[in-house]
Amino acid sequence: MAGTIEPPATVVASALEPLISMAEAGLGIVSLPDFVLYEHLRTGHLVPVLSDHTEHSGVFRLLWPSSPYLSPKLRVFIEFMTANLFPSK
């Protein structure tokens, strides 16, 4: 069929957006953290597949330089991420 694109079996990207865009375009599936895909799943642009075969595990860490003075912006960011990153837990 003319115009058919055969994507490679694996795609590597240094950012999440190209992977999400390819999945939305129907070029394959993507395995990314739920918080990255939340809006795409909520709006129906992406749908879960293989949910019965996926295990959510691991640790997510926020790291920042050691300092006796934590900037107010960083403190607010840490508090926001702590409260909102994994709201279902």
Side-chain angles (χ1 to χ4, degrees):
M1 176 176 183
T4 300
I5 297 173
E6 285 292 327
T10 302
V11 174
V12 177
S14 61
L16 301 176
E17 291 82 5
L19 300 174
I20 295 169
S21 293
M22 286 186 277
E24 287 179 324
L27 297 175
I29 61 174
V30 64
S31 178
L32 295 171
D34 292 343
F35 68 89
V36 172
L37 299 173
Y38 174 77
E39 192 62 24
H40 301 278
L41 295 169
R42 187 188 68 75
T43 60
H45 287 108
L46 293 175
V47 295
V49 296
L50 303 174
S51 296
D52 294 339
H53 304 283
T54 305
E55 181 179 323
H56 297 280
S57 63
V59 175
F60 189 89
R61 292 184 173 95
L62 293 173
L63 303 174
W64 58 88
S66 177
S67 170
Y69 306 104
L70 193 59
S71 78
K73 288 180 183 179
L74 182 55
R75 170 54 53 203
V76 168
F77 175 73
I78 293 166
E79 289 172 0
F80 173 83
M81 293 300 282
T82 301
N84 296 288
L85 188 58
F86 301 105
S88 63
K89 295 192 180 207

